């Protein structure tokens, strides 16, 4: 049995708490490794070491910091296959999807190489007689990221790359379900030239999360996960005076207008709804066709595509469409929600409940499901399923379809498929959701824009990656300077004003 470690001070460090979590192989249902769960004392020691190393890193020329990220990108390309295989083994993703996970993170690292430009301040000369004024962006100090199981490469890089580029030290608490890739990324950062203690990986559970939130040295915390935990981390972190950004759950709607290309819409729904077994915060889980005729045509297109999906382990080849979900508990929860949909009267058009994969009976595989005639009162509509389940909610008008997405408590991503530019423009302007796709099913912004949801999908006032990341991981200091040109006598006792 492999025993994993923490990554502290540029090297692997064994846990000392005596507590471990099982790391499963989702395809077989077997325990393949154990990961240590750190104590509060272990976390505090890692933070203290990071705090000691951070000032020298912040004082390093930002272009030199960027060069470390340049080398890290090269190493990511070198080890792409190794990273993807480790990711697939612990998460269950197909290899092409695992590589996409790494590449999406790599793209943010590439953006962060431009840190010297993004960290430039502002300057005003002659703001007053002999007075110049300028601002500086300075690192916060030690910051932390608490990242989820569903993107074990991408989201850690979304967090630590901009934080390090800004001159901070970073504490990463990855998901204990698939911790190997985050540990590998930290090793690659050391190989790329990052000084010791600036990227510490501390594995753990709620004890470590609370220790991060309560440690006074940690200045900022970024989180991605479920909404209840996002709300908890946001409230506790803010109460402790930290800068906090938390991204939670989702229930992403895709509206299909009568004029949409139905083949294009069906293909988009299948990929966005069932890719990665639906374990994406940007997965489309609700299809909203406008009009019964549109709905009937859409269902007719969807059924053969869904029934043809190939479900299997990543080792079965690149033509596998999706693999298992991450744990037995996740599988049980998805199956419970599917049963509730049937009990509530939704029509199960494609029933994946009896799916069985020969030779992998103990794995966490779930067949694809398609519901029709779902209503807004049903649990399968209200709750995030995070599995290969697509619900169809029929709307009789564009306004009704728009209202469904706007009234839902989640506001992460949404999409509309239409040939009507006026409808698309109206949708983009009015929808109260953070990321919008127009004939694009998963509108994840590229690295130089920002990623973030609204409503109960996001907590905090700044998004992930893009320019917002450099604002989140720095403070602005404004300096007003006057260099007298001669001897001045007497003091000023009124508030300075512009003259």
């Amino acid at each position: 049995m492999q025993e994993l470690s923490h990554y502290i001070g540029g090297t692997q460090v064994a846990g000392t708490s005596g507590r471990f979590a099982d790391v499963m192989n989702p395809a077989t249902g077997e325990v393949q490794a154990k990961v240590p769960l750190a104590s509060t004392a272990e976390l505090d020691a890692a933070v203290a070491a990071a705090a000691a190393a951070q000032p020298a890193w912040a004082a390093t020329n930002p272009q030199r910091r960027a060069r470390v990220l340049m080398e890290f990108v090269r190493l990511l390309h070198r080890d792409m296959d190794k990273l993807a295989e480790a990711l697939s083994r612990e998460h269950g993703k197909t290899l092409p999807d695992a590589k996409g996970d790494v590449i999406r993170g790599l793209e943010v690292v590439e953006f962060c190489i431009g840190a010297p430009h993004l960290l430039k301040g502002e300057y005003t000369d002659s703001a007053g007689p002999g007075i110049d004024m300028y601002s500086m962006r300075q690192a916060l100090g030690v910051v932390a990221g608490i990242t989820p199981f569903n993107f074990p490469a991408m989201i850690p890089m979304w967090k630590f790359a901009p934080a390090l580029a800004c001159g901070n030290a970073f504490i990463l608490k990855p998901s204990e379900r698939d911790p190997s890739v985050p540990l590998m990324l930290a090793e690659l950062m050391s190989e790329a030239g990052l000084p010791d203690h600036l990227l510490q990986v501390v594995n753990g559970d709620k004890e470590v999360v609370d220790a991060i939130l309560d440690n006074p040295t940690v200045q900022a915390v970024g989180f991605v996960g479920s909404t209840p935990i996002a709300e908890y981390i946001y409230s506790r972190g803010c109460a402790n005076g930290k800068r906090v950004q938390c991204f939670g759950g989702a229930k992403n709607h895709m509206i299909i207008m009568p004029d949409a290309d139905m083949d294009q819409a069906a293909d988009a729904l299948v990929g966005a709804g069932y890719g990665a077994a639906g374990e994406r915060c940007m997965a489309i889980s609700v299809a909203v066709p406008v009009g019964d005729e549109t709905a009937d045509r859409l269902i007719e297109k969807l059924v053969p595509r869904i029934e043809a999906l190939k479900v299997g382990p990543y080792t079965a080849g690149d033509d596998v469409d999706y693999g298992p979900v991450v744990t037995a508990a996740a599988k049980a929860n998805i199956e419970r929600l599917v049963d509730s949909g049937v009990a509530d009267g939704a029509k199960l058009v494609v029933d994946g409940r009896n799916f069985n994969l020969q030779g992998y009976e103990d794995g966490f595989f779930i067949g694809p499901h398609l519901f029709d005639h779902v209503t807004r009162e049903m649990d399968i509509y209200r709750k995030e399923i995070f599995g290969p389940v697509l619900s169809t909610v029929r709307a009789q008008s564009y306004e009704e379809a728009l209202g469904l997405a706007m009234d839902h408590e989640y506001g992460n991503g949404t999409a509309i498929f239409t040939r009507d530019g006026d409808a698309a423009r109206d949708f983009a302007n009015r929808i109260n959701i953070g990321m919008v796709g127009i004939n694009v099913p998963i509108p994840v912004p590229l690295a130089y824009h920002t990623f973030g949801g609204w409503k109960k999908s996001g907590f905090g006032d700044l998004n992930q990656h893009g320019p917002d990341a450099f604002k989140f991981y720095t403070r602005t200091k404004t300096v007003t300077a006057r260099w007298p040109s001669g001897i001045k006598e007497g003091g000023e006792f009124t508030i300075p004003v512009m003259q």
Side-chain angles (χ1 to χ4, degrees):
M1 177 68 63
Q2 182 186 12
E3 184 175 313
L4 300 175
S5 64
H6 308 298
Y7 193 81
I8 309 291
T11 189
Q12 295 185 17
V13 175
T16 60
S17 70
R19 298 189 306 122
F20 293 87
D22 291 337
V23 179
M24 309 297 293
N25 181 330
T28 65
E30 298 173 340
V31 178
Q32 58 183 332
K34 289 186 177 295
V35 61
L37 303 176
S39 64
T40 298
E42 288 176 286
L43 182 279
D44 289 346
V47 171
Q54 185 270 334
W57 178 244
T60 300
N61 182 297
Q63 191 167 350
R64 292 185 181 276
R65 296 198 299 260
R67 287 173 183 166
V68 173
L69 296 179
M70 290 182 199
E71 177 63 8
F72 179 58
V73 168
R74 187 188 71 81
L75 297 173
L76 287 172
H77 283 291
R78 184 196 70 184
D79 288 0
M80 182 67 67
D81 291 342
K82 186 189 301 184
L83 289 162
E85 201 280 332
L87 197 159
S88 294
R89 187 174 62 248
E90 290 183 353
H91 178 278
K93 290 185 183 185
T94 65
L95 282 173
D97 199 26
K99 289 180 180 179
D101 190 329
V102 177
I103 291 169
R104 271 290 188 172
L106 182 155
E107 290 170 351
V108 169
V109 180
E110 289 176 329
F111 173 75
C112 292
I113 291 170
H117 170 71
L118 294 161
L119 292 173
K120 289 189 299 186
E122 298 172 327
Y123 187 91
T124 301
D125 68 301
S126 300
I131 296 175
D132 300 325
M133 191 174 295
Y134 60 95
S135 63
M136 300 182 288
R137 286 203 169 275
Q138 294 190 324
L140 301 179
V142 179
V143 299
I146 302 166
T147 57
F149 74 87
N150 60 326
F151 286 97
M154 180 183 80
I155 295 179
M157 285 190 272
W158 282 12
K159 300 294 187 185
F160 72 67
L164 292 170
C166 290
N168 299 285
F170 195 88
I171 307 295
L172 174 61
K173 205 301 285 184
S175 171
E176 62 273 27
R177 296 174 187 172
D178 44 11
S180 289
V181 168
L183 290 166
M184 294 166 70
L185 294 175
E187 290 183 328
L188 291 180
M189 282 298 296
S190 292
E191 185 179 349
L194 184 71
D196 294 345
H197 297 295
L198 292 172
L199 177 56
Q200 316 270 54
V201 181
V202 183
N203 294 296
D205 53 8
K206 185 177 184 296
E207 180 176 346
V208 165
V209 170
D210 287 346
I212 289 170
L213 297 175
D214 295 341
N215 188 298
T217 302
V218 176
Q219 299 297 300
V221 179
F223 169 81
V224 178
S226 69
T227 287
I229 299 176
E231 290 180 303
Y232 171 79
I233 290 174
Y234 186 72
S235 61
R236 185 160 177 166
C238 289
N240 285 327
K242 302 185 191 307
R243 184 178 292 184
V244 187
Q245 59 172 194
C246 292
F247 299 94
K251 198 71 177 180
N252 303 319
H253 296 62
M254 182 173 129
I255 295 172
I256 302 96
M257 297 295 289
D259 67 338
D261 183 318
M262 284 300 143
D263 287 305
Q264 182 189 45
D267 286 339
L269 278 168
V270 171
Y274 300 96
E279 292 178 321
R280 294 171 175 160
C281 67
M282 290 295 285
I284 293 292
S285 54
V286 181
V288 187
V290 176
D292 285 328
E293 182 183 353
T294 306
D296 290 342
R297 289 191 291 137
L298 180 66
I299 295 293
E300 183 182 359
K301 296 285 187 181
L302 284 172
V303 170
R305 287 169 165 82
I306 295 169
E307 290 178 339
L309 288 172
K310 182 177 179 180
V311 182
Y314 77 92
T315 52
D318 288 353
D319 62 336
V320 172
D321 293 303
Y322 72 85
V325 295
V326 72
T327 63
K331 179 181 178 181
N333 183 61
I334 295 164
E335 291 172 338
R336 179 186 62 78
L337 283 166
V338 168
D339 288 341
S340 79
V342 174
D344 287 342
K347 182 179 180 181
L348 190 53
V349 180
V350 177
D351 186 349
R353 288 176 295 179
N354 295 321
F355 179 82
N356 183 57
L357 190 62
Q358 187 174 0
Y360 294 90
E361 290 81 5
D362 294 327
F364 311 137
F365 292 95
I366 298 181
H369 298 75
L370 173 64
F371 279 102
D372 194 5
H373 298 287
V374 173
T375 62
R376 65 170 72 206
E377 298 80 17
M378 297 177 181
D379 277 355
I380 55 170
Y381 175 72
R382 294 187 302 107
K383 296 184 178 181
E384 183 177 35
I385 299 176
F386 227 55
V389 182
L390 180 63
S391 296
T392 306
V393 181
R394 296 180 176 223
Q396 296 308 309
S397 68
Y398 166 72
E399 289 294 333
E400 182 185 352
L402 183 71
L404 282 166
M406 293 188 71
D407 291 345
H408 204 283
E409 65 177 347
Y410 292 124
N412 207 45
T414 189
I416 185 170
F417 272 61
T418 181
R419 292 186 175 96
D420 186 336
D422 180 59
R425 189 172 186 273
D426 180 79
F427 182 78
N429 285 329
R430 290 172 60 192
I431 197 73
N432 58 348
I433 290 172
M435 291 169 284
V436 180
I438 297 173
N439 298 317
V440 175
I442 304 181
V444 178
L446 293 176
Y448 38 88
H449 288 267
T450 64
F451 178 108
W454 291 10
K455 298 184 280 188
K456 285 198 172 182
S457 293
F459 303 86
D461 60 350
L462 290 170
N463 287 340
Q464 298 181 101
H465 66 66
D468 271 15
F470 284 80
K471 296 176 184 176
F472 182 76
Y473 289 116
T474 58
R475 290 189 182 95
T476 301
K477 178 184 289 181
T478 304
V479 179
T480 303
R482 179 171 65 182
W483 300 98
S485 57
I487 297 174
K488 305 294 183 182
E489 296 180 355
E492 294 184 5
F493 296 94
T494 59
I495 188 169
V497 298
M498 186 176 67
Q499 298 180 14

